Amino acid sequence: MLLKTKPADVFVDRHNGPDSAAVADMLRTIGVESIDQLIDETVPAAIRLKKPLNLPAALTERAFLAKFKQIAGKNQLFKNYIGLGYHDTQLPPVIQRNILENPGWYTAYTPYQAEIAQGRLEALINYQTMIIDLTGLEIANASLLDEGTAAAETLHMFHSLSKKKNATRYFVSEQVLPQTIDVLRTRATPLGIELVVGDHRTFDLTDESLFGAILQYPAADGAVYDYTDFISKAHDNNLFVTVAADLLSLTLLTPPGEMGADAVVGNSQRFGVPMGYGGPHAGFLATKDAFKRVIPGRIIGQSIDAAGNKAYRMALQTREQHIRREKATSNICTAQVLLSVLAGMYAVYHGPQRIRQFASNVHALTQTLAGALANLGLNQRNEFYFDTLDLKLESAELQQAIRQEAEAAGINFRYFEEHGTPRVGISLHQNTEIEDVRAIVAVFSKVLGKEAAAVELPAEVTVNWPAGLIRTSEYLTHPVFNTHHSETEILRYMKQLENKDLSLAHSMIPLGSCTMKLNATAEMIPVTWPEIGGLHPFAPREQAQGYAEIFTDLEKWLCEVTGFAAVSLQPNSGAQGEYAGLLAIKGYHDARGDQHRNVALIPASAHGTNPASAVMAGMQVVVVKSTEEGNIDVEDLKAKAAQYADKLSCLMVTYPSTHGVYEETIIDICETIHQHGGRVYMDGANMNAQVGLTSPATIGADVCHLNLHKTFCIPHGGGGPGVGPIGVVADLAPYLSGHVLIDADGRTAGAVTSAPWGSASILPISYAYINMMGGEGLTQATRIAILNANYIKARLEEHYPVLYTGANGRCAHEMILDCRQFKKAGIEVEDIAKRLMDYGFHAPTVSFPVAGTLMVEPTESESKEELDRFIEAMISIRKEIAAVEAGRADAKDNVLKHAPHTAAAVLAHEWTRPYTREEAVYPTEYARAHKFWPTVARIDSAYGDRNLICSCTPLEQYVDAEEQLVSTDKGPSY
C-alpha cells in the first residue's frame, strides 16, 4: 500500500470548530451547495479580493513555538533601574498559574451578565478597595488603560466640571512622567486645552484661565514633595488637582487623598504584573465621592439579588459613550480587567504587612545605594526620596562613560538632561537585592576610578522624611487582605471565585460584535516567558531586537490583511484605535491648511465609541440616518456630505454594518466622502467577517482600527486587555502616533498611550495566530464564521425574526434576533438573557444596536454540536415564551421571570412556584449532565444604584443614600 506524507496536526483544524461532515450538514440546512456559494450570496462581488492573502505558510504549534523561542531570545534581559512608572516585580507563581494562565479567567467576557460573573466582580471589588485604601480617596474605578490615559481622563473630567468660564489652561508639573505629559498633550490639543508645564514650587495658581493641575508623587526624578499647601492654594483658586502616584510608595508615604487631592491616578503594574515592554497594565483612577456621577471607566458595585443576598454588578455605568454618544466626554470601552484581577490578588495574597515590607526593603536599599554613591563623591539631588535617586553629573562624557560601563554589566539606568545638566536616574524595585546594589556601585566605582567601600544590607534604616510625608493611616484592613496568605488559602480562594464565572471553558459565548473565538493555548504560552515580560519599555531598542522583529512582521501582515500602507501598534484598546485614527485624519487635514474640516458623519447605527471618539478629537458629529432595512441611508449621506462639503473631515463607518449585513452601497458611500474632500474611517469591530475575503482598503477606507482581542485572538480577559492598532493609507502614515521617549520612525504626532507599542507583551498572541493559520487558514476562518452564523439563522428564523439581512437573505458573521414582539406577553429581552444561564449559556449581546433584540455571533471556533446546543436552548426558551403567550404560564410568575435559578432556590424546603424545580434548572439533558450554577439570583440593579457600595467595606458602614444613578448599558466591549 502507499502512504502519503503531509502534516498530521494542522492548527487551522484546531481553530475552526466544524469538521467536513458538519460543514456539509450545515450547508444542507442553509440550502446551498458549497461554502463558495454561500460566500457569493453573502459578500458583494464588487468588494471581493482579487487574490489570496500573501502571508507566510502556516506553521504547526510545535514549529511555531520553536521559531518564536528563537525570536524571543533576541531580546536581552538587563537589570532595569529606569523607573518612570515601570518596575521589575514578582507575580506569585500561584497567581500566574491559576489566573493569568487559566482559561477560566482569561476567556471570560465583560461582566454584563453579572449573575454568572460574580467571581471576577468580587476580584474587581478587591482591586477597587486596594486603590481606595492606598490613595486615601473615597471611590475608584475598576481600571483604566494605563497611567497616561488615566491622567488624561481626569483632565477631561475636571475640564467638564469647572465652573470657571473660559478656563482652558491646565498646569502640569515638569516632574510628571514624560510619557504622561505626551499623552496629556495629545488629548488636550484637539479640545483647545493648553498645557502649562512648569515648577509646582513657583507656579502662580491665581491665573483665571486655569481649571486644574496635575502633580507626580514621587516626582519623575524621584523627589518626594508634600503637596498639601499646593493643593490648598489650588482649591482657593477653584482648581481641581490630580496627583499621579506610585502605589507601592503609598504604603509608606502619606496618601494624596489626605493631602486634599481631587483625584489620584497611576499604574498598578508593580503589584505583580510584568513590565512586558510597556503593557498591558491596569491604570487606576480614584476620586472623591462627589464625582461618582462623572468618573470615567467601570465601577463595580454591591447590590442584592432577588432573594435579598449580596451580589455584585457594574454600577454607575460610565461607559457613557453608549449613553451620551456625541455628548460624551470619554470613549472608554475596554478596561484592563485581567490585569486588575492580578494586581488585586497580589494585594490579597501578600496583605498589608508583606507589601509594606516590600516597600521598606526597597527604600532601605535605596538609602544604602545613596550612601555608597555619596562616598564616591557623586551628587545625589533628592533630599527626600522613596526608591529613586537623581545623580547630577559634571559632563555628558561622564554620563556616556557610565552608560557604557553599565550596559556592559547588563544594567540599564535612566539617562536624561535637566536644564542642560546631564543626569542619571536609578530606580530600585521589589526584586532588587543587596548584590544588585553592589553591582550598581561597582559600575560607578570603575568609571570614577575610586575604590568603593563594602556595601552591606542594613538590618534597619531611619526614614528621614518630614512628619507630613509619613503615612500614619491604615490600609488593606478588610479581612480579604488578611486571610489568604498561605498558598493553600489563596489557591482555594481563587478557585472559589473562578467557579462562579462562566467562560469559554464552559460553553460558547455568542456575543454579537464581540467575537468570542478560541484563544489557543499555543498562542498564550509565550506571554509568560521572561524574554517577553521582562523588558522595560524605555530600554535601549537594541536590547529588544526580538520585539522589533515581532512588530515588523505583525505590521507587515496586518497591512496585507487590511490593504493599507502602514500600521501603528500603539493603541491599547479599540476605542484608543478609533481616537488615534481620527487624529491621523485630523493631522492630515491640518497639514494641508484645512483646520476647518471638523465634521464627522456617523451613521445612527454606529458603535457609541464612534461619536465619543470624534468629539474627543475635536470634531462636530453629524448623524446619518438608517433605512428601515438597517442600512445607511445613502441619499441622506450624500445630502449631508454635500451640505458640509467645506467642513467635512471624515465618515466613520462599520463594515459589515453593526446590523450584521454587508451593505452593497459601501463603495459608493466611500467615493461620496472622497469627492467632498473627506476621509473614511472604518470601524474594525467586524473585521472577523472581512479577513481574506475583502479589506478596508478594497472597500475604499483610508484608516481602520483592528480589535486584536476579537479578530486576532487576544483573550477578552473578563473585559480587558485589548489592543486596537490602526492601519492607514500612505498619505496618512506620517500622522500615526509617535512617542516622546522613543524614536517612532520620524512621526511627529503625540502618543495616545503611555508605552510606545501599547500592550506589547500580548502582541505575540496575534503573531502566533497569524503564523499558525497562514493566509489560507485566516480566509477559511472568515468563511466558517459566516457559515456558522447563517446556520444559526437558518435554524432560528422561524422562532425569532432576524431583523436585517443582505440582498440575498444572508447575514454576515452575526445577526440580530428580534425579541420585541414578546413584550406583549410581558417578556423582556432581559428575561431571555437570564434564562439562558439556566441552560448553561451566556446571553448574546442584549439590546445593541437595537433595543429589545439579541445580537448573536457564533465565531468560527464553535463546533456544530455546540451551535446545536445553543439553538436548542433558544428554541426551548421560545416554547416557554409561547406558554406565557397562550396563558399556560403566568405572565409574572414563570420560569423566565425568575431566571436564573440558583441551587439555593431549588433546594429550599418550600417550593411555591407554578413550575417544577426540574423545569427550572434542568431544561435540557445537556444542562442536567453539565450544569453550570449561577451563584446569585437575578440582581436588582436599581437597588445597587440607590445604595452605591464599591469597596469591600462592610454594609453597615454605609448610609442608604436615595439617589438614582445611571443604569447599565449593553453595548459591546472594545
Side-chain angles (χ1 to χ4, degrees):
M1 73 179 171
L2 294 175
L3 298 178
K4 293 184 178 180
T5 59
K6 65 177 182 178
D9 194 5
V10 180
F11 179 76
V12 68
D13 295 337
R14 306 296 193 188
H15 178 81
N16 291 337
D19 60 19
S20 57
V23 168
D25 193 15
M26 294 161 73
L27 290 171
R28 282 191 294 271
T29 301
I30 295 169
V32 293
E33 296 293 326
S34 65
I35 294 182
D36 286 340
Q37 181 186 345
L38 175 63
I39 298 304
D40 288 342
E41 293 179 4
T42 304
V43 185
I47 64 168
R48 294 286 296 276
L49 295 179
K50 308 303 181 189
K51 57 186 176 125
L53 294 175
N54 181 21
L55 294 171
L59 299 175
T60 64
E61 293 179 339
R62 184 169 63 89
F64 167 72
L65 289 172
K67 170 189 172 182
F68 197 81
K69 196 68 177 177
Q70 292 183 329
I71 295 172
K74 298 176 184 179
N75 291 332
Q76 297 176 272
L77 292 175
F78 280 36
K79 296 276 188 174
N80 285 292
Y81 306 107
I82 299 169
L84 292 180
Y86 300 93
H87 305 268
D88 204 3
T89 185
Q90 175 64 45
L91 176 62
V94 66
I95 298 176
Q96 176 173 317
R97 173 60 57 87
N98 292 285
I99 293 182
L100 181 59
E101 298 176 355
N102 183 349
W105 284 93
Y106 67 69
T107 69
Y109 186 64
T110 305
Y112 293 140
Q113 300 299 334
E115 293 84 356
I116 50 176
Q118 290 296 295
R120 90 195 79 117
L121 286 167
E122 181 173 328
L124 291 173
I125 280 275
N126 294 343
Y127 176 83
Q128 288 178 179
T129 304
M130 174 187 79
I131 299 300
I132 289 167
D133 283 5
L134 291 175
T135 60
L137 281 165
E138 298 154 330
I139 192 170
N141 63 24
S143 85
L144 294 173
L145 296 175
D146 55 34
E147 183 166 340
T149 52
E153 292 296 338
T154 62
L155 178 148
H156 287 302
M157 180 172 78
F158 291 140
H159 183 244
S160 67
L161 289 174
S162 179
K163 295 180 181 178
K164 298 174 71 174
K165 293 183 178 180
N166 303 317
T168 59
R169 304 178 84 213
Y170 189 67
F171 172 71
V172 180
S173 166
E174 61 190 6
Q175 285 298 332
V176 168
L177 300 179
Q179 68 270 24
T180 299
I181 297 176
D182 196 8
V183 173
L184 283 170
R185 184 168 283 113
T186 299
R187 293 279 289 269
T189 301
L191 300 179
I193 297 172
E194 178 189 356
L195 299 189
V196 185
V197 181
D199 188 335
H200 78 275
R201 294 168 295 185
T202 58
F203 190 76
D204 179 11
L205 295 173
T206 63
D207 185 345
E208 278 300 306
S209 65
L210 292 169
F211 67 87
I214 184 169
L215 308 163
Q216 192 80 39
Y217 182 70
D221 64 6
V224 178
Y225 300 100
D226 186 341
Y227 292 126
T228 304
D229 289 345
F230 178 96
I231 294 170
S232 177
K233 291 175 183 176
H235 287 165
D236 288 344
N237 288 280
N238 297 313
L239 306 182
F240 296 104
V241 180
T242 296
V243 176
D246 175 90
L247 275 188
L248 188 63
S249 74
L250 298 185
T251 63
L252 299 177
L253 289 168
T254 299
E258 294 178 15
M259 294 180 180
D262 298 295
V264 181
V265 300
N267 184 350
S268 52
Q269 178 267 318
R270 74 188 306 178
F271 272 39
V273 182
M275 290 182 289
Y277 207 43
H281 308 127
F284 65 82
L285 193 164
T287 190
K288 296 177 177 178
D289 185 73
F291 306 131
K292 62 175 174 264
R293 292 177 180 271
V294 292
I295 180 175
R298 298 177 186 148
I299 302 175
I300 309 307
Q302 180 178 305
S303 187
I304 58 174
D305 72 358
N309 299 312
K310 181 177 76 172
Y312 300 114
R313 27 76 77 182
M314 292 201 293
L316 298 178
Q317 286 303 290
T318 44
R319 284 172 41 112
E320 60 167 40
Q321 74 280 2
H322 291 292
I323 300 166
R324 302 187 65 206
R325 297 177 69 84
E326 63 268 22
K327 296 180 181 178
T329 58
S330 171
N331 71 340
I332 289 174
C333 214
T334 304
Q336 299 281 28
V337 173
L338 188 64
L339 293 311
S340 306
V341 170
L342 292 174
M345 206 61 72
Y346 177 94
V348 169
Y349 184 42
H350 288 308
Q353 289 81 20
R354 197 181 295 165
I355 292 176
R356 183 182 175 91
Q357 191 60 59
F358 288 148
S360 299
N361 293 346
V362 168
H363 183 66
L365 288 169
T366 308
Q367 272 204 31
T368 303
L369 176 60
L373 295 178
N375 290 336
L376 290 174
L378 288 162
N379 180 4
Q380 200 287 117
R381 299 277 296 170
N382 294 333
E383 181 180 5
F384 307 120
Y385 54 84
F386 166 61
D387 62 0
T388 300
L389 305 178
D390 176 16
L391 304 178
K392 181 179 180 181
L393 303 179
E394 296 175 357
S395 67
E397 290 76 18
L398 177 58
Q399 184 189 60
Q400 182 57 33
I402 292 168
R403 177 168 187 166
Q404 185 173 342
E405 184 61 33
E407 291 181 359
I411 293 172
N412 287 326
F413 301 132
R414 180 192 176 201
Y415 305 98
F416 63 110
E417 283 192 4
E418 189 171 294
H419 307 302
T421 302
R423 306 296 255 287
V424 172
I426 307 174
S427 293
L428 304 189
H429 47 71
Q430 175 192 340
N431 291 346
T432 305
E433 305 285 355
I434 190 62
E435 292 81 6
D436 299 311
V437 174
R438 291 174 183 144
I440 294 170
V441 173
V443 167
F444 287 92
S445 173
K446 185 173 181 179
V447 171
L448 296 172
K450 296 181 179 180
E451 187 72 26
V455 179
E456 302 297 336
L457 179 65
E460 58 184 27
V461 296
T462 300
V463 177
N464 69 337
W465 303 334
L469 286 176
I470 298 176
R471 179 162 196 154
T472 58
S473 55
E474 293 185 312
Y475 50 87
L476 304 183
T477 58
H478 191 274
V480 75
F481 299 108
N482 295 278
T483 304
H484 311 289
H485 296 167
S486 73
E487 181 160 333
T488 304
E489 287 301 317
I490 194 69
L491 178 66
R492 289 171 181 162
Y493 179 60
M494 291 186 293
K495 193 65 179 178
Q496 181 187 52
L497 296 188
E498 179 195 344
N499 288 343
K500 296 179 179 182
D501 287 13
L502 188 142
S503 71
L504 283 176
H506 298 93
S507 58
M508 69 183 289
I509 301 180
L511 285 152
S513 189
C514 298
T515 317
M516 299 295 294
K517 63 203 292 183
L518 172 70
N519 313 123
T521 306
E523 296 161 4
M524 301 296 296
I525 284 174
V527 171
T528 56
W529 289 353
E531 299 95 327
I532 297 300
L535 272 72
H536 193 288
F538 307 140
R541 292 183 68 172
E542 58 267 21
Q543 294 172 19
Q545 290 304 301
Y547 264 119
E549 185 171 337
I550 294 167
F551 299 156
T552 299
D553 285 347
L554 197 51
E555 288 173 3
K556 180 173 64 178
W557 297 341
L558 293 179
C559 283
E560 174 65 17
V561 167
T562 60
F564 287 134
V567 164
S568 168
L569 300 172
Q570 188 179 114
N572 53 4
S573 81
Q576 288 290 80
E578 285 181 11
Y579 181 66
L582 292 175
L583 290 184
I585 291 173
K586 185 178 186 303
Y588 166 83
H589 286 311
D590 288 352
R592 291 161 56 91
D594 290 338
Q595 290 88 348
H596 58 283
R597 287 193 173 273
N598 67 345
V599 168
L601 299 183
I602 301 179
S605 62
H607 292 107
T609 50
N610 287 182
S613 296
V615 169
M616 288 171 52
M619 296 182 183
Q620 174 189 346
V621 173
V622 174
V623 178
V624 177
K625 297 176 184 176
S626 296
T627 66
E628 290 186 4
E629 294 76 29
N631 297 323
I632 294 172
D633 186 328
V634 177
E635 294 308 312
D636 186 55
L637 177 131
K638 289 187 174 182
K640 284 173 176 168
Q643 178 183 351
Y644 295 99
D646 292 340
K647 298 175 63 179
L648 182 61
S649 174
C650 65
L651 166 73
M652 299 186 76
V653 61
T654 302
Y655 201 79
S657 75
T658 310
H659 294 149
V661 175
Y662 292 92
E663 297 185 50
E664 302 274 347
T665 56
I666 187 64
I667 291 178
D668 186 26
I669 287 169
C670 293
E671 288 177 349
T672 297
I673 299 302
H674 291 151
Q675 287 166 7
H676 293 286
R679 308 307 294 262
V680 176
Y681 173 89
M682 179 169 288
D683 185 317
N686 293 338
M687 195 68 195
N688 200 42
Q690 286 195 44
V691 178
L693 300 182
T694 184
S695 73
T698 300
I699 292 163
D702 300 293
V703 55
C704 176
H705 88 263
L706 304 169
N707 298 99
L708 298 191
H709 49 289
K710 296 183 182 185
T711 303
F712 294 94
C713 291
I714 290 174
H716 282 74
V723 181
I726 58 171
V728 295
V729 293
D731 60 352
L732 294 182
Y735 311 106
L736 290 171
S737 302
H739 196 279
V740 68
L741 293 177
I742 294 288
D743 175 24
D745 303 320
R747 297 171 187 166
T748 57
V752 294
T753 59
S754 290
W757 291 278
S759 295
S761 69
I762 55 175
L763 293 177
I765 300 169
S766 298
Y767 188 85
Y769 174 61
I770 296 173
N771 252 295
M772 293 189 292
M773 292 290 279
E776 185 178 339
L778 291 177
T779 304
Q780 183 66 0
T782 309
R783 288 156 55 90
I784 297 296
I786 294 169
L787 171 71
N788 282 1
N790 279 278
Y791 175 68
I792 290 179
K793 173 183 172 293
R795 289 204 57 196
L796 283 184
E797 58 190 344
E798 65 180 285
H799 306 281
Y800 300 86
V802 174
L803 200 53
Y804 304 113
T805 58
N808 297 307
R810 306 299 181 196
C811 65
H813 64 310
E814 60 190 2
M815 79 218 71
I816 297 174
L817 303 180
D818 194 349
C819 303
R820 292 173 294 184
Q821 70 272 27
F822 307 140
K823 289 176 70 73
K824 298 174 186 175
I827 301 299
E828 303 288 343
V829 69
E830 181 184 30
D831 299 324
I832 301 173
K834 302 308 179 187
R835 181 59 174 153
L836 273 167
M837 297 178 193
D838 291 328
Y839 287 81
F841 286 102
H842 193 292
T845 302
V846 176
S847 288
F848 178 86
V850 179
T853 66
L854 294 171
M855 184 160 61
V856 181
E857 180 184 355
T859 84
E860 69 274 13
S861 297
E862 299 300 341
S863 66
K864 179 178 180 295
E865 291 78 8
E866 184 71 0
L867 300 182
D868 285 338
R869 282 192 286 269
F870 172 72
I871 290 165
E872 288 159 11
M874 290 296 293
I875 293 173
S876 179
I877 289 172
R878 181 64 185 93
K879 292 176 181 177
E880 294 170 348
I881 297 171
V884 178
E885 292 172 324
R888 297 192 304 273
D890 187 86
K892 294 183 179 179
D893 192 7
N894 60 65
V895 73
L896 288 125
K897 287 294 182 183
H898 290 301
H901 297 83
T902 63
V906 296
L907 290 173
H909 178 69
E910 186 175 6
W911 180 262
T912 60
R913 295 175 184 173
Y915 51 90
T916 68
R917 301 175 201 248
E918 188 172 39
E919 288 172 328
V921 299
Y922 295 142
T924 63
E925 286 303 311
Y926 182 81
R928 183 186 297 275
H930 305 278
K931 183 63 183 175
F932 179 87
W933 289 98
T935 54
V936 297
R938 193 174 306 194
I939 295 172
D940 186 337
S941 294
Y943 179 93
D945 278 346
R946 289 194 302 270
N947 306 277
L948 182 63
I949 302 172
C950 61
S951 73
C952 298
T953 307
L955 185 63
E956 60 268 17
Q957 293 190 16
Y958 285 81
V959 178
D960 189 346
E962 292 291 330
E963 53 180 320
Q964 182 64 43
L965 299 169
V966 183
S967 63
T968 62
D969 84 279
K970 312 294 194 302
S973 172
Y974 269 29

